[in-house]
Amino acid sequence: ATEFEDSIHLSPVWKITAKNKAPILNPIAPQSVNIGSTSLELALALSDPDATLICSLALTVQSSNSDILPSQNIVVTGDKTPNCGLTLYPVPEKLGTSTLSVVATDGSLTALQKFSFRVRNPNLPPSLDPVDAALTQEDTPATVAVTIVDSDGPDQTCSSEFLSYAS
């Protein structure tokens, strides 16, 4: 027997692991509701190149204005990516704006998107205050003032001058 017959040949074993990639959270457009709205449902475009994420574990949301939308009034919805969303429950009868910070994580890496959330007065049509009757002599100008009431903005007053003519 030769000295090489009883030898063992070892081959190296290479383990190749992929580098973890961060979740992808697409930009979120500004959102608004009219005062009196009880909730707003919002779908999120969230994915992770490496895995399927569980929405309630992968997402956290903070509100910059708790008077309008406290963080505890933000509920993560959906079960797994890509079916994640948010339901926002604004404080009743409060107007204003909050910046929401949405963070998605895969346990190691994160993605962040911010968007504004506004509770506003609805755009209601203006109305006219009653107009008083005006009398004038023939060929004598008279001015009538009219007040336009706008619940969404400042009231406006305008006037009109007219002449009466004999026929």
Side-chain angles (χ1 to χ4, degrees):
T2 65
E3 63 182 87
F4 295 108
E5 286 180 2
D6 294 329
S7 64
I8 300 173
H9 297 283
L10 299 175
S11 301
V13 176
W14 298 95
K15 182 178 180 184
I16 300 173
T17 55
K19 183 178 177 184
N20 185 25
K21 295 178 182 142
I24 300 166
L25 180 59
N26 288 355
I28 305 165
Q31 303 292 315
S32 62
V33 296
N34 289 335
I35 193 165
S37 295
T38 57
S39 66
L40 173 70
E41 293 182 10
L42 180 63
L44 299 178
L46 173 64
S47 63
D48 188 305
D50 307 314
T52 298
L53 302 176
I54 298 172
C55 302
S56 62
L57 299 176
L59 290 168
T60 56
V61 186
Q62 292 294 316
S63 171
S64 69
N65 186 345
S66 61
D67 291 339
I68 303 304
L69 185 68
S71 293
Q72 66 266 23
N73 287 17
I74 304 168
V75 177
V76 174
T77 59
D79 54 354
K80 299 178 194 170
T81 54
N83 300 317
C84 297
L86 300 174
T87 301
L88 311 177
Y89 298 95
V91 173
E93 304 308 315
K94 294 283 188 171
L95 296 171
T97 302
S98 178
T99 299
L100 300 181
S101 299
V102 182
V103 177
T105 183
D106 64 4
S108 300
L109 301 173
T110 60
L112 167 69
Q113 290 293 340
K114 293 183 178 188
F115 69 98
S116 66
F117 174 73
R118 180 176 169 221
V119 179
R120 64 173 187 259
N121 272 323
N123 187 15
L124 301 173
S127 62
L128 296 176
D129 273 354
V131 178
D132 293 330
L135 295 174
T136 185
Q137 297 294 321
E138 184 177 332
D139 296 329
T140 304
T143 302
V144 175
V146 177
T147 301
I148 303 166
V149 179
D150 186 355
S151 62
D152 304 338
D155 292 347
Q156 302 291 320
T157 301
C158 62
S159 61
S160 178
E161 188 173 284
F162 66 94
L163 290 173
S164 65
Y165 294 101
S167 47

